[in-house]
Amino acid sequence: MKNYDIIIVGGGAAGFFAAINAAEMNPKLKIAILERGKEVLTKVRISGGGRCNVTHACFEPNELVKNYPRGEKELRGPFHSFAAGNTIEWFERHGVALKTEEDGRMFPVSDSSQTIIDCFNTAVQKLKIDVLTIQSVQSVFKADGYWKVDTQNDTYKCDKLIFATGSNPKIWELLQQINHSIIAPVPSLFTFNIKDKRIIDLPGISALATVSVKGTKLSSSGPLLITHWGLSGPAVLKLSAWGARILNDKNYQFNIIVNWLNDLDSDDAETQLRDIKLENAKKTVVGKSPFDFPNRLWQNLVKSAGISDEVKWADLTKSELQKLIAELTASVFNVNGKSTFKEEFVTAGGIDLREINFKTMQSKIHDNLYFAGEIVNIDAITGGFNFQNAWTSGFIVARSITEELSV
């Protein structure tokens, strides 16, 4: 049996961050990371299209929490201890400069996730943290004053046990065996599969739009991207995160309403179109988009409103105008299924938040058992927020454990 002060199950972002911070706070601690696979930090490698969206330039905790469909209330306290500004400072202190893009997402200046991986690997080597791969945890047992962890290869003993395995059904099942409750996981970030003549030939085109799920209160605004399989972009991804459970209950079969004019309602649209009608009387309606989205999308919406290519603005009937307004502000699309957003599979679900002390990230059911990252029922919209949860929870765990062990 191999003895450690701290064992972290899960060789991902949250696990490494917890281990590194704990070792920096108390270099005397003997720490091991157990990873079930052959490689560590695999999700970091593919995140952000290989660039690693480290965090988001949102520095006010009360604003930051609004990006978490599950965990908003629970993260408010932790974010006052460690939030985006602390993340930036931490990485800069470890030799990684970050940059902010127009939409607030933050990446390494190198534009490479390998920079983050190298930073972590350098730190664990320097701090003499054992990173042990091919160590799939089979069982855990709580004895007097310690935890026993069995993998398929070895048996370990530790004072403090941290689970940072992300969305891992096997680990959730193991935790249920020691009386933790698991909120059943469902996909969180996904795109909508849609086959519709209005968008089928327009992959790559985007517009600033508002998307709502018909028959619900779910609505989201932002860039909307047309893809080969339907609709994606921040507007859809935010909607999928906030509506994760509702859309799962609908078996991903539902209708959405798209307002291609975003914040203009039908009355505003009619006012603008009547002005456009007067100014462009002799021009064809289909000719050029009068709004801030591409001509090809405009042309498809005009045709869908039943307006032929030859119709001039001056000849546009009241009925045709109303149909065009409806297409622009309330296009209905049938969603038939979903697709995973890139390789970044995020789920809503995990350990019931009521069973965790968010001041320490310690289990309320078992002493000396802690959680970090997406293993708990917390998830965020896209944009660096899921990683920020990993850094914050990893830091909170490290601080609370080292404070206890130093007493």
Side-chain angles (χ1 to χ4, degrees), residues 221-375:
S221 298
L224 180 64
L225 175 66
I226 299 171
T227 70
H228 288 287
W229 56 88
L231 292 174
S232 183
V236 163
L237 293 169
K238 282 191 286 184
L239 200 62
S240 75
W242 287 101
R245 296 208 169 271
I246 294 172
L247 302 182
N248 178 73
D249 290 344
K250 292 178 178 292
N251 199 29
Y252 309 106
Q253 310 287 323
F254 53 91
N255 288 332
I256 58 169
I257 301 169
V258 177
N259 182 345
W260 297 102
L261 304 184
N262 193 30
D263 54 356
L264 293 185
D265 62 20
S266 58
D267 291 339
D268 294 331
E270 182 170 1
T271 300
Q272 289 202 19
L273 285 171
R274 289 192 181 281
D275 290 341
I276 292 164
K277 191 173 187 286
L278 290 173
E279 294 168 6
N280 298 275
K282 295 182 180 180
K283 295 179 180 179
T284 59
V285 177
V286 79
K288 185 179 179 183
S289 170
F291 298 105
D292 190 22
F293 55 75
N295 287 334
R296 290 170 61 203
L297 175 58
W298 166 256
Q299 290 161 2
N300 281 9
L301 294 175
V302 170
K303 290 175 184 177
S304 185
I307 301 167
S308 69
D309 291 354
E310 296 77 25
V311 173
K312 293 184 171 60
W313 280 101
D315 302 322
L316 192 67
T317 67
K318 183 177 181 180
S319 174
E320 288 172 331
L321 179 63
Q322 292 304 314
K323 288 178 181 177
L324 180 57
I325 291 167
E327 282 293 342
L328 289 168
T329 62
S331 288
V332 178
F333 292 89
N334 176 248
V335 177
N336 183 19
K338 60 174 175 53
S339 294
T340 302
F341 176 58
K342 298 182 178 177
E343 300 92 349
E344 299 173 42
F345 189 70
V346 176
T347 58
I351 299 164
D352 193 323
L353 303 184
R354 293 171 295 183
E355 299 176 356
I356 301 167
N357 178 349
F358 279 85
K359 292 181 179 179
T360 60
M361 298 306 296
Q362 184 172 202
S363 163
K364 290 181 179 179
I365 295 172
H366 298 287
D367 292 339
N368 303 320
L369 177 64
Y370 300 80
F371 305 107
E374 289 177 38
I375 189 171

Side-chain angles (χ1 to χ4, degrees), residues 69-84:
R70 284 145 293 273
E72 178 178 350
K73 180 182 71 174
E74 290 79 8
L75 285 174
R76 187 171 280 108
F79 281 158
H80 276 89
S81 291
F82 195 97

